[in-house]
Every structure is written in C-alpha cells, then in structure tokens.
Amino acid sequence: MQRGSDRSKLFSRRAAVLGGGKLVLLSALVGRMYYLQVVEAPRFKTMAEENRISIRLLPPPRGRIVDRFGEEMAANEQNYRVIITAEDTNGNPKGTLDTLGQVIEISEKEKKKILKEIKRKRSFVPVTVRENLSWEEVAQIEVNTPDLPGTEIDVGQTRHYPKGHYSAHVLGYVAAVTEKDAKGDPLLELPGFRIGKSGVERLHDLKLRGTGGTSQVEVNALGRVIQEVERQEGQPGAEIMLTLDAGLQEMTAERLGNEAAAAVVMDIHTGEVLSMASNPSFDPNAFNRGLSHKEWQGLITNPRGPLTNKAIAGQYAPGSTFKMVVALAALEKGVITPSQKIMCTGHMDLGTARFHCWKKGGHGPMDMVQAHMHSCDIYFYEIAKRIGINRIHDMAKRLGVGEKTGLDLPGERSGLMPSRDWKLATIGAPWQGGETLITGIGQGYVLATPLQLAVMTARLVSGKKVIPHLTRKITTSEGIEVPVRKEFEPLGISPHHLKIIQRGMNAVTNVPGGTAFRARIKEHEFRMAGKTGTAQVRRISKAERDTRVLKNSELPWELRDHALFVGFAPYDNPRYAASVVVAHGGSGSKAAAPVVRDILLEAQRRESSRGEPVVAPKKDEKEA
C-alpha cells in the first residue's frame, strides 16, 4: 500500500510540474502574441505598408534657356522610345530583338548590350532599346507589334536646341550621367537622365535640373507594379534668360561662313554679350541622341577644332589690334605727344637686328592718329622701345589682355601678357630689347582671346573696367533672380588720351587711306571705328625678304596669317564693341573688318527697328 501511495505522489508531482511548464509556455506565447499584435502593431503595420507601397522618383522637366527677348534657345520636346520587357517576350527576348532589328536599325553591338542589361534586371523591368524615334520608326513598330511581343512605345522628353550649331558653344549640351557624375542626387540614378556637360547647360545645371516628383505605386511581393496609388509632379527647372540676341547670334555665325573663326559683340555700357560665335561648330542635338563613333572621330580629328569655343578659348597673337594698348601706355607715361611724329623708312635697326614695317618703302613721318590709320609698325616699335615691356604689360592688363575676363561661362582661357619677370620665371632667360619691339605690334609672346579683344575695345571706349556676362535673369519656382552687377570701376586713364585713341580708330575706317576704309559703314549714324590686325604665324627669313615674301594664298592654310579686327559703333555715341578673329584668314582688312562691319550694322539696325533706347553715356564719357 505504501509503495502504491508513493507512486501516486510521484505521478502527481510530475503532472503538476508538466502542467506548470505548459502554463508558463502558454503564458509566454500569449504574452508574445500580445506584444507582437498590440504593442508592435503600429510598427509592423508601417512595415507592411512600406512593402506594399513603393515610392518612385519622377524626373522633372529641364528648365528652358531663352535669349534676351524670350526666344527659346534650349527647350524640351517629346521623345519616343521603344522598350522591351523580357517576361512578355514568350521567353525569347533575343528573338524579339532580332525581329525588331529588321524594323529599325539596331547594331549587333547594341543588341549585345541590351541583352546583357535584360539579364541583369528582373524579367518584368523594361529596358530601353532605342530613344528619339522618328514618327516613321514609331509607325513601323506599331504596325509590326503582333510580331514584336514584349515591345512597347514609351513617351518621354528630350533636350532640343532650335538654333542647332549656331549657339552650340555658348549653350553647350546635355548627355547621360557617368559614374563620376553620380554623386548624391538621386535624380542622377534615373535611367535616361541627362545633365549639362558644357556651356550654359553645365554652368546652370543644378538650377536647370529642377526638383523630382514622386509616384506611389502598389507592388506585389516580387516588386511588380500593380497600380499607381498617388502621383506628385516635380518642379520644373529654372528658366535661364541669356543676354544673347538669338537673331544676331544666328547672323554672326552665318557671317563667319566656313572659316575657322570667332566673333564677339557686347554692350559697352552693361557688359552684356549679345553675340558670341565660334566656327566650325557642332550640333548639340547630336550629343543628346548619342553620337556614332564615326561622328565623334570626325569632330575630334578636325584640324579646325569644332569642339573648341574659340571666342573664349582660342588664343591668338593680337597683331596690330594691340597697337592701341601700346599707344595708350606711351601717352599715359608721357613719352610721346599725339602730334609728335616718328619717321618710318620701312625698317628699324636695334643692335644687329633689323625690324621691318609691313610697308616695304615706309610710311614717312607719322603722328599717333596717322600711325593708327596706316598701322605703321615702325611708329609702334619706337614708342614700345621708349616705354619698355613692363609698362606695356601693365596697360594691357588694365585693358583686359592676358587674363580671364570673368565671363560666366566655363572654359575661358587666360591668354598671355609677357613681362620681364614672366620670361625669367617661365623660360629662364632675360628679356631682350627686340622682344619689346615685336610686342609693340602684338606679336611675340602676347596672346589674347577674341573675348578679351572685345573687352579691350569696350574699355578703350568707356574708360571703365567693363566685365562681360551672359546670364541676364534666372526664373525659378520661388521667384526671379537677377545676378548682381556692380558699377564698372573707372580705369583711371585720361579721357583725353582715350579720345586720341578713338580718333585713331576712326581714321582707320572713315578716312581714305585707312587700312579698313573699304570696310567702313557708310550710313553716317551707324559709323564704326576700329583697328585691323594681321598676325604672322611663321617667321619670314632674310632670304625670303631679299627675294619675295610669299603671299598668304601661296602658303598652306596652317601657315597663313591670322586676320583680326576690333571695332565699336556708333562712333558718335558708342554702344557696341566687337571683335573678329579669322584663323589663318590672311589680311585683317579683307577677312575680318567686313565681318565686324556687317555684325555691328546688324546690331544697330535691330536695335533701331525695336525702338530700344540707346544707353547714353554720362557727360564725362562724352567728353572723353
């Protein structure tokens, strides 16, 4: 009996322990369920919602670029593209792609690239096959849709430049984002998103991009889109208004013709650049659609440099357009008076070296205005020798030669204005007297860009430190920004001396015998004044001088002289300054002066036809 009672107690204890254990486990389970379903319910609800709803970024429309009158220079237009979704191709994306290749042009290289991307992505994610389809291509694809399972026409936006190559160097272009570009901004991760790569597109890229929108879509467990729940469009990019006059820009580019050349027209009083052209150019629309290998090779191997903006990055010896700088330095330092004459016999000796005037027999006695009018080299050799290189250097810098102008456009180069210290530090040799003489006629080491020559002219006319700019106004969704422009500082040059230089430039174009008299503007109210320049790019040997100096037409293109001209108009009430450089164009009076004449005349006529008020100079400027 005792043994039975013990076994019963043992059973009861074990049953109690087991029951207690179950109770503890049950309590823990209930507690955990309570914790998950009640305490953590909000968090899990949010997570579930997040898994169900996917937020996708929408690209905003890129901002427009317009000229000073609101005419579109860069805008967006509809872009048709064909996409392929692997899971809808009946398991044969390659077959669909091959068939599509019979409808529109797709190279084997492109096919391999597309198939590689299809494999990399999930089967329901579409992959772009071709962008910028023409209407004909869209129609052909639509007609053949039954034979093209998995393909679809999609509509987006692409950048368009209505003026094509006329403004390519100023506007720049947009292109696909590279791995190097993709830093931070999620917009850059969007397929097909493009950013500014050069010019104004690059300068104002962040403002032009705008703010991305969002699309909330419901997805299944695999991430496939079921439906769009909510959509919020982004903010378009800012509108950039430039100082350019699109019509004048087009005319300027056309006037340069097929030459390797550059031209700049600017407002003397405001620094606004109205026209800036560089030839040969390129079509920025081609960069947007994607250049073929052949097209790219054609651009980079062209010896005339279509990808270089020669207006701001082309560096040329200024030739005789530099003579005003030397004359002004000489007047300011008092080493010569305007009426003092220097005899030109056709050559000048310095030590054992002989320096020649462009006119073999010489010009005879020349005062300052006559020296400008005939572009006498001997006169400027002599006054350059009297003042020395460092004083020429200082005046050139004040007028903007040999340093960046501060234009709001990427890619500007500085040119070069030599001095004694520069040569010693850079070349390791002392300055030579003969180098001062050839600097006096804009040759030797001195280099300037066409923009610097236009700025130099504007400063010679205004007596102020004119700084050029291209951005007139920026309109964002928050409001309008107008870049702050400070009043131009006076250069501290005698107005009387500036007037003498202007009289010399007037004689060049408006007095018979002036080197650009044939290229003058005949309408009195539109008269221009200016200065020709012909810059050698080769050394003329003594043997050649003793026999006959070869004409430009007898030389290979790359050995011909550069042709230059700088001018301003109207002479009586100056508003516009302009410069033209024709690389290897020969004579400045024949190749460059007529181009400046036509551009300045067009600028004035356009202003006159619009009835725009001319910015009148202040009293002291009139007296200059």
Side-chain angles (χ1 to χ4, degrees):
M1 288 293 290
Q2 182 63 39
R3 189 175 178 184
S5 177
D6 291 344
R7 291 181 64 183
S8 176
K9 289 179 181 175
L10 179 61
F11 177 79
S12 297
R13 281 199 300 273
R14 288 181 176 175
V17 170
L18 187 59
K22 286 182 177 177
L23 185 62
V24 170
L25 288 174
L26 184 61
S27 300
L29 183 60
V30 170
R32 183 62 180 168
M33 290 177 65
Y34 176 81
Y35 176 78
L36 293 176
Q37 294 189 11
V38 179
V39 177
E40 291 286 340
R43 186 167 72 88
F44 286 118
K45 185 178 179 182
T46 303
M47 291 175 65
E49 190 72 11
E50 286 176 352
N51 285 334
R52 186 178 70 87
I53 302 297
S54 176
I55 298 177
R56 303 192 173 182
L57 199 58
L58 300 173
R62 191 171 178 84
R64 297 191 314 158
I65 301 174
V66 299
D67 83 337
R68 62 192 295 114
F69 304 115
E71 184 175 345
E72 278 187 351
M73 301 191 78
N76 305 312
E77 64 178 16
Q78 277 193 328
N79 168 33
Y80 293 94
R81 60 179 181 171
V82 58
I83 58 177
I84 183 170
T85 307
E87 69 172 9
D88 297 330
T89 60
N90 300 327
N92 186 15
K94 185 176 184 306
T96 298
L97 207 54
D98 287 340
T99 308
L100 184 61
Q102 296 170 10
V103 179
I104 60 172
E105 186 178 345
I106 308 173
S107 68
E108 290 302 317
K109 186 178 178 182
E110 288 174 321
K111 286 181 186 175
K112 287 181 182 177
K113 185 179 175 184
I114 294 163
L115 289 172
K116 188 177 177 182
E117 192 171 354
I118 287 174
K119 286 181 181 177
R120 193 167 56 83
K121 293 186 173 179
R122 285 181 286 185
S123 62
F124 57 82
V125 177
V127 170
T128 302
V129 177
R130 272 270 310 278
E131 291 190 276
N132 301 306
L133 295 172
S134 65
W135 266 113
E136 290 74 17
E137 289 173 321
V138 170
Q140 286 175 338
I141 293 170
E142 294 288 3
V143 167
N144 290 279
T145 296
D147 299 324
L148 298 169
T151 61
E152 187 182 348
I153 298 295
D154 190 34
V155 182
Q157 286 195 331
T158 189
R159 201 63 161 165
H160 178 61
Y161 302 93
K163 296 293 181 184
H165 62 274
Y166 290 135
S167 307
H169 292 101
V170 176
L171 300 178
Y173 60 89
V174 295
V177 179
T178 65
E179 193 174 335
K180 185 180 175 184
D181 299 322
K183 293 177 181 174
D185 191 342
L187 279 176
L188 304 186
E189 305 291 338
L190 291 173
F193 195 81
R194 283 171 165 72
I195 60 173
K197 293 288 186 176
S198 70
V200 174
E201 292 277 23
R202 178 181 161 193
L203 177 71
H204 293 299
D205 183 59
L206 288 177
K207 288 189 168 79
L208 286 165
R209 283 183 201 171
T211 308
T214 55
S215 170
Q216 290 189 27
V217 293
E218 187 178 0
V219 296
N220 64 14
L222 295 175
R224 183 176 302 155
V225 175
I226 299 172
Q227 63 174 333
E228 186 177 64
V229 178
E230 186 179 343
R231 187 182 186 88
Q232 185 174 356
E233 300 293 346
Q235 291 289 340
E239 179 180 280
I240 308 295
M241 176 176 277
L242 301 179
T243 60
L244 291 182
D245 176 339
L248 184 64
Q249 175 74 16
E250 186 172 338
M251 179 269 168
T252 303
E254 282 190 343
R255 188 62 184 81
L256 292 179
N258 297 321
E259 301 286 353
V264 177
V265 183
M266 60 184 293
D267 189 307
I268 289 167
H269 305 289
T270 65
E272 291 184 338
V273 176
L274 284 90
S275 175
M276 177 184 284
S278 177
N279 262 15
S281 187
F282 59 89
D283 184 0
N285 295 300
F287 281 80
N288 192 32
R289 64 169 162 76
L291 290 171
S292 66
H293 178 72
K294 185 179 178 183
E295 287 174 316
W296 176 245
Q297 286 299 314
L299 287 173
I300 62 174
T301 59
N302 187 332
R304 302 195 175 201
L307 293 179
T308 301
N309 184 353
K310 297 179 181 66
I312 62 171
Q315 301 180 113
Y316 306 91
S320 295
T321 63
F322 190 71
K323 288 175 177 173
M324 288 89 77
V325 177
V326 182
L328 198 54
L331 286 171
E332 289 284 285
K333 293 301 175 185
V335 300
I336 194 166
T337 64
S339 58
Q340 187 177 349
K341 295 195 174 184
I342 292 174
M343 176 60 72
C344 171
T345 59
H347 65 268
M348 173 179 172
D349 294 327
L350 183 69
T352 59
R354 171 160 288 190
F355 296 84
H356 298 268
C357 185
W358 67 267
K359 188 175 182 181
K360 195 170 182 179
H363 290 95
M366 293 273 109
D367 64 20
M368 186 165 281
V369 170
Q370 290 171 327
H372 279 88
M373 176 179 161
H374 296 289
S375 198
C376 174
D377 292 333
I378 301 301
Y379 181 92
F380 291 96
Y381 287 150
E382 177 60 31
I383 61 174
K385 186 178 75 170
R386 293 183 189 180
I387 54 176
I389 184 60
N390 281 355
R391 288 174 175 173
I392 297 173
H393 167 273
D394 293 346
M395 180 56 74
K397 289 285 185 179
R398 289 168 77 181
L399 294 172
V401 177
E403 61 185 16
K404 293 181 181 178
T405 64
L407 181 74
D408 47 345
L409 194 69
E412 185 180 8
R413 298 188 69 179
S414 63
L416 175 64
M417 188 58 232
S419 65
R420 290 181 182 278
D421 292 343
W422 169 84
K423 187 182 177 188
L424 197 59
T426 308
I427 301 179
W431 188 264
Q432 302 297 316
E435 292 171 330
T436 300
L437 267 58
I438 59 174
T439 301
I441 61 167
Q443 297 276 178
Y445 297 110
V446 59
L447 294 172
T449 66
L451 176 64
Q452 286 176 4
L453 295 177
V455 169
M456 175 192 79
T457 307
R459 293 184 181 183
L460 283 170
V461 175
S462 68
K464 294 182 177 179
K465 189 178 180 181
V466 179
I467 298 173
H469 66 275
L470 271 165
T471 305
R472 200 175 205 208
K473 188 170 72 176
I474 302 172
T475 306
T476 66
S477 56
E478 291 81 25
I480 296 175
E481 299 175 20
V482 179
V484 177
R485 302 289 171 194
K486 296 180 180 176
E487 187 73 17
F488 298 137
E489 301 172 7
L491 290 170
I493 299 173
S494 161
H496 175 64
H497 292 159
L498 287 172
K499 193 63 182 176
I500 292 166
I501 300 300
Q502 292 164 24
R503 282 173 50 204
M505 295 172 74
N506 179 56
V508 170
T509 54
N510 298 311
V511 176
T515 55
F517 181 70
R518 291 184 179 179
R520 69 192 182 281
I521 293 177
K522 296 180 181 176
E523 293 90 332
H524 183 81
E525 69 275 23
F526 295 147
R527 269 190 312 162
M528 76 168 180
K531 182 71 190 77
T532 52
T534 302
Q536 288 179 205
V537 297
R538 70 187 183 102
R539 187 180 183 87
I540 299 174
S541 67
K542 183 176 184 305
E544 189 178 340
R545 285 193 186 279
D546 291 342
T547 54
R548 181 177 70 87
V549 177
L550 294 175
K551 297 178 181 177
N552 277 300
S553 58
E554 298 172 307
L555 296 167
W557 177 77
E558 64 274 12
L559 294 182
R560 297 176 185 175
D561 299 335
H562 293 321
L564 306 97
F565 191 82
V566 298
F568 65 90
Y571 178 72
D572 295 323
N573 190 13
R575 179 170 182 184
Y576 302 106
S579 71
V580 164
V581 177
V582 181
H584 308 294
S587 163
S589 61
K590 293 179 181 175
V595 180
V596 173
R597 173 198 62 201
D598 294 346
I599 295 172
L600 285 177
L601 188 56
E602 175 69 11
Q604 294 177 88
R605 283 176 172 167
R606 291 175 68 82
E607 171 199 304
S608 179
S609 65
R610 287 190 300 272
E612 283 193 355
V614 175
V615 178
K618 295 177 182 176
K619 186 179 178 183
D620 59 340
E621 292 169 348
K622 283 184 177 178
E623 292 171 349

